[in-house]
Each structure stands twice: as C-alpha cells, then as structure tokens.
C-alpha cells in the first residue's frame, strides 16, 4: 500500500460552528499568567479559554443587569 504524502488534508477548524468574528484584547502580564493557568487547568487553548470566560462573563452581566432592573 502506497501512502501519498502530498495528498490534501481537509481543513480543520477548532472554533465552534459560526465563530467567524475576531476580537483582540490587551491584557496585563499578570492577567495573561492567570489566563494561562486557567487554560492549562482546563486543558484548553488560550483563545478557547478566553472565549469561555467571555461567555460566562456576558451571562453573569446579563443576570446582574436583569436583577438590577427588577429592583
């Protein structure tokens, strides 16, 4: 059996379906260290970890805003 090393491989995307917009964020060295520690603990990439924390932060923000609107 011959294996052709030049055969094209399908492109693999690590992002969830529909993730097409990029956001650049500036962080301090300490914030990056904390992000790297979380990424290692979660066994995720830095960008995946940042996205997870962003989504959780948005959910928390929405919950707090909704709660404040009711009071």
């Amino acid at each position: 059996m011959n294996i052709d090393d030049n055969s094209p491989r399908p492109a693999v995307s690590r992002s969830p379906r529909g993730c097409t917009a990029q956001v650049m964020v500036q962080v301090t060295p300490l914030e990056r260290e904390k992000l790297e520690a979380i990424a290692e603990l979660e066994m995720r990439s830095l960008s995946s970890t940042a996205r997870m924390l962003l989504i959780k932060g948005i959910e928390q923000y929405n919950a707090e805003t909704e709660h404040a609107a009711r009071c």
Side-chain angles (χ1 to χ4, degrees):
M1 179 186 285
N2 262 347
I3 298 175
D4 184 9
D5 290 339
N6 295 326
S7 61
R9 295 184 180 160
V12 177
S13 174
R14 296 184 200 177
S15 299
R17 199 167 293 196
C19 288
T20 58
Q22 295 179 354
V23 176
M24 185 173 171
V25 178
Q26 298 293 321
V27 296
T28 66
L30 180 58
E31 292 166 340
R32 183 176 174 111
E33 284 178 24
K34 290 178 180 180
L35 182 61
E36 287 173 342
I38 294 169
E40 186 175 333
L41 182 68
E42 294 282 328
M43 296 173 41
R44 295 172 176 260
S45 67
L46 280 179
S47 60
S48 175
T49 302
R51 182 173 185 273
M52 174 190 71
L53 294 172
L54 176 69
I55 291 168
K56 286 180 179 253
I58 290 171
E59 290 171 355
Q60 181 179 346
Y61 173 83
N62 287 339
E64 291 172 358
T65 303
E66 184 179 316
H67 177 72
R70 284 188 266 140
C71 295

